[in-house]
Amino acid sequence: MNWKFGDNINTDLITPGRYNITTDPRELAKACFIEYRPEFSKQVKAGDFVIAGENFGCGSSRETAPVSLKHSNIRAVIAKSYARIFFRNAINLGLLCMIADTDGIDESDELELDVAAQVLRNRTKGIEISIKIPSMMLRLYQEGGIIPYLKKHGLSALTDLEKF
Amino acid sequence: MGQTLAEKIFSRHCGKTVHAGDFILADLDLVMAHDTTCAWALEPFYQIATKVFDPKKIFIPFDHAFPSPNVAMSKLQAEIRKFAEEQGIPISFEGVCHQVMSERLINPGDLVLGADSHSPTGGGVGALTIGVGSTDAAIAMATGKAWFRVPETIRIDITGQLPRGSYSKDVVLAVAREMGADGANYRVIEYGGETVEQFNVPARLTLTNMSAEMGAKAAIVAPDQQTSAYLQENDRLIAFDALRSDADARFERVLRFDVSNLKPMIACPPDIDNDVPVEEVQAEKVVVDQVFIGSCTNCRIDDLEVVYRMWKGRRLKEGLRVIVTPASRKVYLQALQRGYVEEFMKMGAVVSSPGCGPCLGRAGGVLYDNEVCVSTSNRNFEGRMGSPKARIFLASPATAAASALTGYITDPRPFVN
Ligand code: SF4
């Protein structure tokens, strides 16, 4: 299923500051949307999508927000736009965050993501939505994040990032 | 083509001439990670390195929850302390990261990475100071480098003499109303104009600090005589290049604000761009439960002087919780020497140790359901200072001080001499 949210979903709504006192990603996944959408962490299933409007992830630099989403095992976040630090953190962590017009997507719609073709098929509504994934995000997603990437290719591989 | 101030600073740190849109790997002058974000940087750091690139260029302050309020936080701090000891990095307990870095560490023209969203604050000293998350901090601690896409700059010109009772906080709230919560997303905001030229660095730090709330990657004021005066006051006699944007630099937008008639402003919950003149809220007689004068936005000595002058000879509203948290040890000591701390405490205010304090709802003034707080900080999201049902109004120290006298949200002008 899809978990649909509005505009300006800030990092305090994703992982409230009071729950940021652990570095265990599984604990954090339990805190994901804990106050804003308490059923999320209990009902979210691997492969679900998080759908949102403008400026998703605004607020603090806390990486706990994308970490908690990533470890909720969602397939991807799809939003109209993202706040800068959240998006950067998502790139680094290998959390797929795509840019698309999300207005027509409902929670019960069955979605199929074709990363290679950069399209999202809404099977319920029988429409295709084009999505944008920056090439650096895609590459680091395939590598499992920037840390696994640097571990595999060495620190000097930092200079290759600009070629992605 | 000319360059913006930000493009010049990026160019100096990557060894080539760059413009907005270029992707670069830049050398950093300073990397900051604090008692929350540093904890998250340790695991990724040790995955890719064993030693930091230069312990002198890494700053680790304990400020977000210090002294530690609970065992879970103590555990994180213990992990960070172990790392810092291993790497030979001293830990700072001197107050809020951005304030301490501005006082002691950030130089004009620097490129600084901070694992904290309000990192743009340091731009008030004429540097590019950029907020990131813990993974970037880990890579930066290991390599001294970070990747960037050189951002476009939005230039904001402020002109006019501020009326009595309005301050740089009111200016930036008026800017935020115009810009919205994502109006500067991915951009650098460059503040200038005669009003900003007259602001001292502490007043400029309030502008740059709040820019994070508009999504800015960085915010900057070109370094000038005010900057050298500030460096001297802080016992730093640093010579710097008077870097500024070229006349033919390309700005994405230029916004102009004339503040000669600006009234004291307040950001109503739960958004930063929900700004109205304080007098409008005053008409609704909003009763206040807690007043917080603190944070990296507004708790420097100039701010406490405003509060002291307004409170002198008056009484705080009976039963109101009034918390004053100086932004740094230096500010605290200045307030002690000037007698402010004694006066505030005699009046019944709580003066707490320098740090973030109640700003992020972790300790020292956490709000309960339906409570109202007037805060001089920068973020009024639901749940920021405790219960998601509490309501946070953001305003200048003067408005906070006036509200502490009356017990409801109050326009400071009648109390400012
Ligand atoms: S004072 Fe508040 S805004 Fe500033 S660094 Fe601390 S928690 Fe963040």
Side-chain angles (χ1 to χ4, degrees):
Chain A
M1 78 168 265
N2 313 309
W3 299 81
K4 189 157 182 187
F5 297 88
D7 293 339
N8 296 319
I9 297 300
N10 66 60
T11 50
D12 278 78
L13 298 178
I14 305 172
T15 49
R18 291 177 303 295
Y19 297 90
N20 277 345
I21 46 180
T22 171
T23 53
D24 180 346
R26 280 161 316 201
E27 282 299 310
L28 276 168
K30 284 189 213 154
C32 194
F33 292 116
I34 190 163
E35 285 165 355
Y36 194 62
R37 195 88 191 254
E39 70 281 16
F40 180 87
S41 71
K42 286 171 216 115
Q43 294 172 9
V44 66
K45 287 195 204 60
D48 283 1
F49 288 89
V50 167
I51 313 288
E54 304 279 2
N55 204 24
F56 187 82
C58 60
S60 90
S61 66
R62 63 187 63 155
E63 214 156 293
T64 53
V67 168
S68 73
L69 284 165
K70 184 171 172 178
H71 288 270
S72 301
N73 292 319
I74 57 163
R75 176 79 175 91
V77 182
I78 310 172
K80 290 184 193 167
S81 66
Y82 296 86
R84 186 189 77 81
I85 300 182
F86 178 90
F87 199 67
R88 186 176 174 115
N89 287 340
I91 290 177
N92 284 334
L93 289 169
L95 168 70
L96 214 46
C97 286
M98 303 177 301
I99 301 153
D101 181 358
T102 50
D103 279 343
I105 305 175
D106 290 317
E107 294 217 322
S108 56
D109 289 354
E110 197 191 319
L111 302 178
E112 189 191 285
L113 174 65
D114 187 338
V115 172
Q118 308 232 344
V119 295
L120 186 70
R121 295 193 185 93
N122 188 333
R123 292 198 170 274
T124 311
K125 298 213 167 78
I127 47 172
E128 286 195 354
I129 305 168
S130 72
I131 49 170
K132 231 170 59 194
I133 316 171
S135 56
M136 183 166 163
M137 170 169 276
L138 192 57
R139 175 69 194 276
L140 289 178
Y141 167 73
Q142 288 157 348
E143 296 272 357
I146 196 167
I147 295 293
Y149 164 78
L150 291 176
K151 238 178 119 172
K152 186 163 148 205
H153 303 280
L155 287 181
S156 58
L158 262 182
T159 43
D160 296 332
L161 288 176
E162 66 184 294
K163 294 182 212 132
F164 287 177
Chain B
M1 184 169 53
Q3 284 184 300
T4 63
L5 176 49
E7 288 166 344
K8 287 185 187 180
I9 296 178
F10 275 120
S11 299
R12 287 177 165 214
H13 289 83
C14 70
K16 55 184 179 194
T17 304
V18 295
H19 289 98
D22 293 343
F23 186 97
I24 59 164
L25 194 68
D27 290 312
L28 304 165
D29 297 300
L30 183 66
V31 181
M32 184 281 289
H34 55 62
D35 50 356
T36 304
T37 52
C38 189
W40 273 95
L42 303 181
E43 198 258 348
F45 173 84
Y46 282 118
Q47 292 235 11
I48 55 169
T50 49
K51 282 272 159 224
V52 297
F53 81 108
D54 182 351
K56 285 187 216 63
K57 291 187 177 171
I58 295 170
F59 183 58
I60 304 179
F62 281 8
D63 56 351
H64 278 61
F66 188 82
S68 173
N70 54 46
V71 177
M73 200 61 221
S74 303
K75 177 171 178 270
L76 292 190
Q77 293 184 356
E79 286 164 9
I80 300 169
R81 259 198 312 273
K82 181 164 167 274
F83 164 77
E85 265 162 37
E86 243 171 65
Q87 301 288 338
I89 305 164
I91 285 175
S92 149
F93 312 135
E94 299 147 279
V96 188
C97 47
H98 311 301
Q99 174 66 16
V100 177
M101 288 196 291
S102 302
E103 285 170 4
R104 294 213 281 115
L105 301 170
I106 297 171
N107 298 318
D110 276 0
L111 181 62
V112 177
L113 204 71
D116 187 89
S117 60
H118 290 100
S119 296
T121 312
V125 191
L128 263 189
T129 56
I130 297 173
V132 292
S134 300
T135 301
D136 276 306
I139 297 168
M141 290 196 290
T143 63
K145 294 178 195 299
W147 60 267
F148 298 104
R149 191 192 147 274
V150 177
E152 284 78 22
T153 294
I154 299 175
R155 165 88 184 185
I156 298 187
D157 271 313
I158 318 265
T159 53
Q161 180 75 39
L162 268 180
R164 189 172 53 87
S166 294
Y167 303 85
S168 65
K169 179 63 159 283
D170 303 294
V171 171
V172 79
L173 290 178
V175 171
R177 177 168 68 175
E178 192 77 20
M179 298 280 286
D182 60 353
N185 208 358
Y186 297 94
R187 315 291 192 272
V188 171
I189 300 182
E190 180 182 310
Y191 291 95
E194 59 182 40
T195 317
V196 177
E197 279 159 24
Q198 282 158 28
F199 280 161
N200 63 10
V201 168
R204 292 174 179 182
L205 292 170
T206 304
L207 300 179
T208 47
N209 174 277
M210 292 291 300
S211 305
E213 299 308 309
M214 307 169 215
K217 179 169 191 160
I220 194 162
V221 179
D224 59 9
Q225 306 90 301
Q226 298 281 5
T227 322
S228 29
Y230 179 77
L231 294 175
Q232 278 175 36
E233 278 160 31
N234 286 286
D235 309 314
R236 294 154 67 196
L237 298 162
I238 288 161
F240 56 84
D241 294 342
L243 287 175
R244 52 199 57 248
S245 291
D246 294 327
D248 58 344
R250 207 194 143 269
F251 295 119
E252 188 188 69
R253 289 163 78 187
V254 179
L255 276 80
R256 295 198 167 79
F257 291 83
D258 179 355
V259 295
S260 358
N261 296 310
L262 184 71
K263 292 172 179 170
M265 300 291 289
I266 192 159
C268 303
D271 296 305
I272 190 61
D273 45 1
N274 200 1
D275 301 285
V276 294
V278 182
E279 60 186 13
E280 284 179 23
V281 183
Q282 178 169 346
E284 295 165 29
K285 279 253 177 193
V286 182
V287 175
V288 176
D289 300 286
Q290 177 170 301
V291 169
F292 171 51
I293 298 171
S295 89
C296 51
T297 319
N298 270 125
C299 206
R300 292 174 261 281
I301 196 65
D302 312 58
D303 299 316
L304 293 179
E305 184 178 344
V306 169
V307 174
Y308 174 79
R309 289 184 180 208
M310 286 175 62
W311 281 357
K312 195 147 178 48
R314 298 189 168 105
R315 301 172 77 116
L316 298 183
K317 173 75 181 174
E318 184 91 27
L320 186 65
R321 286 117 60 187
V322 180
I323 303 167
V324 180
T325 309
S328 69
R329 182 186 293 162
K330 175 159 186 164
V331 174
Y332 201 121
L333 284 168
Q334 286 171 318
L336 270 174
Q337 278 151 10
R338 296 194 191 179
Y340 299 170
V341 173
E342 186 177 348
E343 186 66 23
F344 294 168
M345 291 186 72
K346 278 187 184 156
M347 293 179 77
V350 173
V351 182
S352 55
S353 57
C356 299
C359 177
L360 75 165
R362 200 163 286 168
V366 180
L367 301 173
Y368 185 56
D369 294 356
N370 306 319
E371 289 190 334
V372 169
C373 180
V374 178
S375 169
T376 66
S377 68
N378 46 35
R379 203 162 264 172
N380 57 353
F381 296 163
E382 283 165 21
R384 171 68 174 177
M385 295 179 73
S387 162
K389 293 195 185 116
R391 296 197 294 151
I392 307 162
F393 291 79
L394 305 175
S396 73
T399 300
S403 307
L405 294 169
T406 61
Y408 58 93
I409 291 173
T410 301
D411 191 317
R413 286 173 293 183
F415 300 93
V416 178
N417 313 317

